[in-house]
């Protein structure tokens, strides 16, 4: 396998790629941009290029490396990676898979450059043998944008339930202490919620802060604290810092930046909130949090309704009042009820969204397109997809 990714930053698509490569026997990875947070975690050092500055030179160099590697199959990741995978696949006459991790519910709100790349993907000049969407909403919205004629299937994200698991009260206390880092016992006893996401307009940070401001206007002494975790979620981000200060939340919001120990930290959260406005597929954070036993509150974006079983935990995107109400409803539930729901959520995620199930679907597809027992694998893929 040769995987071609737009980058190797800390996003959900990149981590899904990493997990798939770690479970594979032989795979090379090419990154088209300098984003490299995950590079040290790959079994073999990825090939890194600078597509933005040197597009033609990158294509020539990548084709040359691919000829040396002699893959049986090429898989692209995200829009730029998909298009480049098609170019390399055409040059080497190899099967090509596209991985689409996005949905297009609010197409007009996407960046102009991204819309142009999405439109390029409609052209038949960019050949691919299969498009893999990680969500049903991604498949539907792309079909409406001209992708419907391409052979496709849906493989939802999977979560490693051995790594992401409940860890008990002691671990929860340690995680809280690590994030709060305070001797203020009053502060330490307040509920602690988290939003795990990169700083980007589609993620709904402003709506989340509006919701938190309304919670604090009710009772600033007992209102929940909020940990912001992810790329750009740092006080040095002047735009974020100003948004927090303007709402009077300086003492209520903790900016943690990116973290690699979420499997441990989830234990310390009373709720995990996903306030995204658009663009989500199958949100990894909702799978991971539930696998760890953390309650979730989310907007109805992407396939959130397939991932979250409790209707009252889902609210319309952009509705700060509804988001605040859902958070308070979750925090106000009796402890026994919260525990029972957490156990049910974990069991559901482990059954329907396990990492093993996700990877099995990919490996069946890889074998089919690379020429291994194609008919049997094709029928298995169809059965799993249903």
């Amino acid at each position: 396998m040769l995987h071609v990714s737009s980058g190797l930053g800390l996003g959900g698509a990149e981590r899904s790629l990493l997990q798939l490569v770690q479970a594979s026997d032989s795979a090379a990875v090419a990154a088209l941009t300098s984003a490299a947070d995950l590079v040290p975690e790959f079994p073999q050092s990825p090939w890194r290029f600078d597509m933005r500055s040197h597009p033609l030179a990158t294509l020539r160099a990548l084709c040359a490396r691919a000829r040396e590697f002699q893959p049986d199959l090429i898989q692209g990741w995200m829009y730029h990676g998909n298009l480049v995978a098609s170019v390399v696949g055409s040059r080497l006459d190899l099967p090509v898979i596209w991985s689409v991790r996005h949905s297009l519910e609010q197409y007009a709100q996407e960046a102009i450059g991204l819309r142009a790349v999405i439109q390029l993907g409609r052209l038949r000049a960019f050949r691919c043998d299969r498009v893999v969407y990680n969500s049903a909403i991604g498949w539907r919205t792309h079909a409406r944008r001209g992708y419907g004629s391409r052979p496709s299937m849906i493989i939802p994200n999977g979560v490693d339930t051995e790594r992401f698991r409940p860890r008990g009260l002691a671990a929860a206390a340690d995680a809280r202490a690590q994030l709060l880092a305070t001797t203020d016992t009053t502060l330490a006893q307040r509920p602690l919620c988290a939003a795990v996401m990169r700083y980007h307009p589609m993620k709904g940070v402003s709506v989340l802060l509006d919701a938190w401001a309304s919670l604090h206007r009710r009772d600033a002494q007992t209102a929940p604290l909020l940990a912001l975790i992810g790329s750009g979620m740092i006080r040095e981000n002047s735009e974020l810092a100003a948004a927090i200060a303007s709402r009077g939340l300086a003492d209520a919001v903790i900016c943690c930046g990116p973290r690699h120990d979420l499997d441990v930290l989830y234990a310390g959260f009373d709720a995990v909130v996903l306030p995204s406005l658009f663009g989500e597929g199958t949100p990894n954070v909702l799978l991971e949090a539930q696998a760890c036993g953390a309650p979730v509150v989310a907007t109805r974006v992407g396939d959130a309704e397939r991932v979250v079983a409790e209707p009252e935990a889902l609210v319309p995107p952009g509705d700060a009042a509804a988001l605040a109400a859902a958070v308070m409803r979750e925090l106000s539930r009796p402890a026994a009820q919260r525990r029972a729901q957490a156990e049910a959520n974990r069991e559901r995620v482990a059954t329907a969204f396990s990492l093993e199930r996700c990877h099995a679907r990919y490996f069946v597809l890889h074998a089919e397109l690379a020429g291994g027992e194609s008919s049997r694998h094709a029928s298995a893929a169809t059965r799993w997809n249903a």
Side-chain angles (χ1 to χ4, degrees), residues 28-43:
V29 177
L32 302 179
T33 61
S34 58
D37 304 81
L38 294 180
V39 164
E41 299 186 42
F42 280 86

Side-chain angles (χ1 to χ4, degrees), residues 229-250:
I229 302 175
S231 299
M233 297 298 195
I234 52 177
R235 293 283 180 179
E236 290 76 13
N237 179 342
S238 58
E239 191 175 77
L240 175 60
I244 293 170
S246 67
R247 293 166 174 82
L249 296 173

Side-chain angles (χ1 to χ4, degrees), residues 338-368:
R338 283 164 58 85
R339 285 194 299 270
Q341 188 63 58
E343 291 174 4
N345 289 345
R346 173 173 167 78
E347 184 173 347
R348 179 174 179 272
V349 166
T351 300
F353 297 97
S354 71
L355 194 60
E356 293 82 2
R357 181 182 175 89
C358 172
H359 287 172
R361 292 178 172 184
Y362 272 115
F363 295 150
V364 165
L365 176 61
H366 294 168
E368 176 193 343

Side-chain angles (χ1 to χ4, degrees), residues 31 159 211:
V159 60

Side-chain angles (χ1 to χ4, degrees), residues 86-100:
S86 285
V87 173
V88 178
S90 295
R91 296 284 182 88
L92 276 64
D93 193 24
L94 291 172
V96 174
I97 299 171
W98 285 2
S99 301
V100 177

